[in-house]
Amino acid sequence: MKTSEVISELMRRFPNEPEYHQAVEEVLTSIEDVYNKHPEFERVNLIERLCIPDRIFTFRVSWVDDSGKVRNNMAYRVQHNNAIGPYKGGIRFHSSVNLSILKFLAFEQTFKNSLTTLAMGGAKGGSDFSPRGKSNMEVMRFCQAYIAELWRHIGADTDVPAGDIGVGAREVGYMYGYYKKMAREFTGTFTGKGLTFGGSLIRPEATGYGNCYFLLNMLATKGIDIKGKRVAISGSGNVATYTAKKLLQLGAKVVSMSDSDGSLIAPDGFTQEQFDHIFELKTYMRGRLYEVVDTYPDLKYYERKRPWKLVQCDIAMPSATQNEIDGSDADALLANGCFAVSEGANMPSTKEAVHKFLAAKILYAPGKAANAGGVATSGLEMAQNSQKLSWSAEEVDKKLSDIMANIHAQCVRYGNEGDGYVNYVKGANIAGFMKVAEAMMAQGVL
Ligand code: NDP
């Protein structure tokens, strides 16, 4: 297998899908040497079967807005690979959603889920519908119309969706409710459900907390204490807010948060009171970050700017969206002394930025390792649902922390470059790949 040849062929067959090509190229570049030591993989063209999704559902969702107007959105579910377990991956509702983005996310999810050591294949779904500015009833009607089409293709042992950008507890509740009505069953077909109907404690916190646990493991390899360290975060949604919450508990200073309108900077770190205000505003009131300066005029708000060049940080935890750190952002971070990047979002760093982080030999954890705590806890929710049991918050949190330590250990095992530097990108990709590849080999050509 030659990465460049596989990529050229994918680009020819699936043009105009840059995010998908980017994600595949990153993984293939890391696994090429290992793959080529296994001629049996090549004999069954394993790489192509692993790169091209098993199947994709594409459909139109029509719904009626509050003024009575009929709206149409495009919607998808990409079932990428189920070699090691049922398809599993979130649903994203955002105006930018297209097939390229969902194919990249489903591809990444396959390796991430493998890394968790739980039995979950990879999938992703979504729509170019944006919940922003919509009423609860509009969101509910859209979710029901989306599931009216998708419900036949998902199930507790088939394909288990969850949240992602634009899909939180409210949307999961509406989708699960409609799924339950159509399928006439009450099973663990969605994760991220409310606590009263099968949700797991710590699932909302899991991606952000998990990223912090991964970061602690990385810092421990260098004997660095998190206390007092300056951490820049992007985003202010599920992942970003729980990352900030855990960092404050750990004694770190959170110096930024952002949304798609701009960045909020706290040069000396948000106080607990300021963070509680932001958490309340973003989690329960669907407010915007620029409103925060009305209450706290000492904080600085920069319209349409990402945080990376606005404030000095020791650690960056991008937690908003893909390709939100480009080459020049990476240069600025490195020049300002940033020594660790731990990704809460999926593929938030461009290819150029990743090269710069690796070349500078800083601690750099790709999303598929660092943010795997979310799906891992979804796996724990599935386990609780199938046993019809609920575990305590302490129990789930302990399992989450153990899983993150295990993912870190796998990255170190496969990513150790011999000179003491751990290439977490290589480590995560090889560890995730080997398990899926072995399962595919055992199951024949499908
Ligand atoms: P949310 O919708 O809860 O929050 C997303 C945040 O990112 C919001 O602050 C949003 O701003 C901002 N954002 C979204 N798109 C853009 C954009 N194009 N430019 C700038 N800012 C943007 O999503 P999550 O927190 O759940 O997800 C964040 C990231 O983490 C995604 O990459 C997701 O795939 C990844 N992830 C999430 C997991 C989970 O468990 N939820 C698990 C693993 C990874 P605004 O409010 O203005 O839209």
Side-chain angles (χ1 to χ4, degrees):
M1 181 266 284
K2 257 187 106 178
T3 296
S4 55
E5 285 171 12
V6 179
I7 296 294
S8 311
E9 184 58 7
L10 289 178
M11 288 171 91
R12 186 189 67 74
R13 292 169 82 180
F14 309 107
N16 308 318
E17 296 187 354
E19 293 86 359
Y20 170 58
H21 304 148
Q22 181 184 342
V24 173
E25 187 175 359
E26 185 223 271
V27 171
L28 265 50
T29 307
S30 323
I31 64 167
E32 186 169 326
D33 290 347
V34 171
Y35 184 92
N36 287 333
K37 287 190 184 125
H38 293 268
E40 70 277 17
F41 290 170
E42 192 63 7
R43 278 198 288 276
V44 295
N45 200 355
L46 187 116
I47 204 63
E48 211 169 79
R49 290 195 285 129
L50 187 54
C51 292
I52 300 175
D54 289 355
R55 68 187 66 77
I56 300 173
F57 301 105
T58 304
F59 47 99
R60 168 176 48 77
V61 175
S62 297
W63 56 284
V64 182
D65 72 16
D66 286 347
S67 70
K69 193 172 156 203
V70 174
R71 308 273 202 114
N72 300 305
N73 286 98
M74 283 312 297
Y76 314 86
R77 182 75 181 165
V78 180
Q79 294 183 337
H80 189 85
N81 185 293
N82 67 350
I84 63 170
Y87 299 108
K88 176 90 195 88
I91 290 180
R92 177 177 291 193
F93 291 162
H94 192 268
S95 53
S96 63
V97 163
N98 58 36
L99 201 49
S100 172
I101 289 177
L102 295 181
K103 279 174 72 178
F104 116 64
L105 289 164
F107 176 81
E108 288 277 293
Q109 194 81 46
T110 300
F111 299 92
K112 181 191 306 189
N113 293 1
S114 167
L115 275 175
T116 65
T117 70
L118 304 176
M120 299 181 290
K124 203 82 188 191
S127 171
D128 57 6
F129 168 83
S130 169
R132 190 169 160 191
K134 306 287 190 306
S135 70
N136 280 338
M137 288 298 106
E138 288 177 324
V139 170
M140 184 183 79
R141 285 196 290 277
F142 176 81
C143 289
Q144 294 182 340
Y146 178 76
I147 292 300
E149 185 70 31
L150 190 65
W151 76 272
R152 286 179 190 78
H153 309 299
I154 58 178
D157 294 321
T158 316
D159 182 353
V160 184
D164 190 76
I165 292 178
V167 176
R170 175 182 63 170
E171 290 76 14
V172 167
Y174 290 149
M175 286 193 278
Y176 179 67
Y178 206 71
Y179 170 80
K180 182 173 66 73
K181 180 182 167 77
M182 299 303 283
R184 302 188 184 191
E185 59 169 42
F186 195 110
T187 55
T189 293
F190 270 80
T191 59
K193 299 186 291 299
L195 287 178
T196 51
F197 54 98
S200 173
L201 288 162
I202 304 294
R203 176 59 190 93
E205 293 87 345
T207 309
Y209 281 19
N211 191 11
C212 294
Y213 298 153
F214 195 93
L215 174 70
L216 290 179
N217 278 281
M218 281 205 300
L219 295 179
T221 65
K222 302 273 178 211
I224 300 171
D225 188 351
I226 184 94
K227 275 203 185 68
K229 296 293 173 299
R230 300 168 60 80
V231 186
I233 296 178
S234 62
S236 49
N238 172 273
V239 178
T241 48
Y242 284 107
T243 301
K245 185 172 179 178
K246 180 56 77 180
L247 287 169
L248 287 177
Q249 283 171 15
L250 293 167
K253 288 183 179 182
V254 176
V255 295
S256 72
M257 296 193 79
S258 70
D259 59 25
S260 47
D261 296 329
S263 294
L264 186 68
I265 303 295
D268 301 320
F270 295 110
T271 62
Q272 187 66 48
E273 184 191 304
Q274 288 167 341
F275 170 72
D276 291 345
H277 176 85
I278 295 169
F279 185 85
E280 190 82 9
L281 180 79
K282 297 301 293 190
T283 312
Y284 304 116
M285 293 155 72
R286 300 186 187 278
R288 309 298 303 165
L289 277 184
Y290 58 72
E291 296 169 38
V292 177
V293 283
D294 296 342
T295 311
Y296 297 104
D298 289 354
L299 299 176
K300 294 192 168 63
Y301 182 78
Y302 296 85
E303 235 175 89
R304 282 188 292 279
K305 287 217 161 43
R306 302 188 288 224
W308 320 121
K309 294 176 183 164
L310 300 176
V311 62
Q312 189 277 330
C313 67
D314 303 309
I315 298 165
M317 299 180 86
S319 308
T321 192
Q322 64 276 354
N323 291 330
E324 52 166 322
I325 298 184
D326 63 18
S328 72
D329 294 321
D331 284 337
L333 284 167
L334 293 169
N336 284 329
C338 173
F339 58 75
V341 177
S342 202
E343 297 182 340
N346 285 308
M347 207 169 74
S349 308
T350 62
K351 187 172 146 184
E352 199 189 355
V354 175
H355 284 161
K356 287 177 190 278
F357 294 145
L358 294 177
K361 295 198 178 248
I362 62 164
L363 296 169
Y364 168 63
K368 71 168 72 66
N371 71 30
V375 74
T377 308
S378 279
L380 302 178
E381 182 172 330
M382 288 162 73
Q384 292 170 77
N385 290 165
S386 56
Q387 296 173 72
K388 305 224 167 358
L389 286 175
S390 296
W391 300 335
S392 69
E394 293 71 29
E395 215 172 338
V396 180
D397 197 30
K398 169 79 172 67
K399 287 186 200 297
L400 169 63
S401 151
D402 290 349
I403 289 171
M404 298 316 293
N406 182 287
I407 295 173
H408 181 267
Q410 291 182 70
C411 291
V412 172
R413 176 175 166 209
Y414 289 102
N416 201 324
E417 302 228 298
D419 59 355
Y421 182 64
V422 177
N423 182 332
Y424 288 87
V425 178
K426 194 169 145 194
N429 286 335
I430 295 175
F433 163 75
M434 282 309 288
K435 185 175 165 194
V436 178
E438 281 164 20
M440 286 176 74
M441 289 302 293
Q443 293 169 25
V445 176
L446 301 170

